[in-house]
């Protein structure tokens, strides 16, 4: 979908938000955005996942240094090799606690290239995103799974959903303890990552899935009223 006009993503963002009942704007993630050659400084954050929430409201052009406070996240985003991530103190604390094993780190998805910049911004403003992030509730996950039955449930670390989606695999994460603590993600919420190039198809399938949900919900409500209403 390279070169898709901004207005197309604005419309897709609107439809995605409406169909999933999202309270927050979906976020577009762009690697090496054409207009990110001279990124403005961004507020210091403990991890790359901490850019997701503020990017619902405005653009953030980040570089490797902005992700450096989380070695595992820097690895999953292709910014440092696994050997460098494994040698750092924060990774040692995660492995030493038993939270993850060295084998888990080796198996974690990671970008297979090193981006010079990673841009996070409202999807409606994105010109050529590769990944779309959306904050889901259980109800919106129900709708998305109906439209994308192959949706992958990703474990630790949560940021692994980004390289998965960049490779073409739609994924949802219940979050991980480290990311939830750093981001303050509500217990009722989770995050999904969708391949941006598949978004038109996903939205079309969502429209059909949501329409079917309305039909069966109306049937269930009428059945309750007719056969189980009290008073």
């Amino acid at each position: 979908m390279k070169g898709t006009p901004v207005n197309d993503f604005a419309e897709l963002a609107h439809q995605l938000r409406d169909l999933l009942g999202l309270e927050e704007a979906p976020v577009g993630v762009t690697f090496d955005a054409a207009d990110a050659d001279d990124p403005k400084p961004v507020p210091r954050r403990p991890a790359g996942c901490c850019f997701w929430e503020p990017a619902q409201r405005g653009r953030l052009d980040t570089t490797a240094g902005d992700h450096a406070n989380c070695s595992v996240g820097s690895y999953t985003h292709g910014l440092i090799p696994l050997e460098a991530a494994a040698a750092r103190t924060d990774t040692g604390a995660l492995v030493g606690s038993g939270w993850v094993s060295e084998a888990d780190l080796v198996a974690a998805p990671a970008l297979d290239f090193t981006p010079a910049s990673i841009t996070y911004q409202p999807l409606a403003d994105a010109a050529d995103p590769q990944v779309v992030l959306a904050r889901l509730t259980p109800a919106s996950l129900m709708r998305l799974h109906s439209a994308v039955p192959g949706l992958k449930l990703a474990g630790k670390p949560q940021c692994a959903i980004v390289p998965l989606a960049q490779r073409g695999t739609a994924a949802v994460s219940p979050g991980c303890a480290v990311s939830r603590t750093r981001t303050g993600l509500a217990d009722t919420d989770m995050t999904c990552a969708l391949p941006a190039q598949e978004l038109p198809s996903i939205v079309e399938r969502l429209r059909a899935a949501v329409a079917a949900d309305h039909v069966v919900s109306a049937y269930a409500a009428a059945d309750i009223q007719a056969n189980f209403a009290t008073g």
Side-chain angles (χ1 to χ4, degrees):
M1 190 174 288
K2 187 175 180 59
T4 299
V6 171
N7 285 343
D8 284 7
F9 280 109
E11 178 59 24
L12 288 168
H14 171 74
Q15 293 185 41
L16 190 67
R17 190 168 184 175
D18 181 60
L19 291 165
L20 290 177
L22 303 180
E23 294 187 4
E24 307 292 346
V27 169
V29 182
T30 307
F31 304 103
D32 297 323
D35 56 350
D37 294 335
D38 187 22
K40 298 178 182 178
V42 299
R44 190 167 180 264
R45 302 280 180 175
C49 57
C50 297
F51 295 116
W52 300 356
E53 190 273 337
Q56 295 167 353
R57 297 179 294 278
R59 175 168 173 158
L60 299 168
D61 292 302
T62 68
T63 61
D66 298 312
H67 292 250
N69 296 307
C70 177
S71 299
V72 171
S74 293
Y75 166 64
T76 62
H77 284 64
L79 300 170
I80 60 174
L82 178 60
E83 294 76 13
R88 294 186 178 178
T89 303
D90 59 337
T91 306
L94 301 181
V95 174
S97 70
W99 188 71
V100 291
S101 67
E102 293 182 1
D104 293 329
L105 295 179
V106 172
L111 294 180
D112 58 4
F113 61 96
T114 302
S117 67
I118 304 175
T119 297
Y120 304 90
Q121 64 189 133
L123 177 62
D125 299 333
D128 189 24
Q130 286 86 56
V131 173
V132 174
L133 297 171
R135 183 175 291 189
L136 306 180
T137 63
S140 51
L141 175 60
M142 173 193 71
R143 296 171 190 148
L144 182 61
H145 189 256
S146 293
V148 188
L151 186 68
K152 180 179 178 63
L153 178 64
K156 311 169 191 175
Q158 178 178 227
C159 55
I161 62 176
V162 173
L164 283 170
Q166 189 275 333
R167 296 177 189 173
T169 299
V172 62
S173 172
C176 66
V178 174
S179 180
R180 282 189 174 275
T181 299
R182 285 172 166 166
T183 64
L185 186 66
D187 288 348
T188 54
D189 294 348
M190 62 201 80
T191 305
C192 76
L194 306 173
Q197 72 273 15
E198 295 182 16
L199 197 55
S201 175
I202 290 172
V203 165
E204 191 64 29
R205 297 195 304 271
L206 263 174
R207 191 176 293 110
V210 169
D213 278 352
H214 286 326
V215 171
V216 297
S217 292
Y219 168 81
D223 179 57
I224 291 171
Q225 182 64 31
N227 299 303
F228 301 97
T230 59

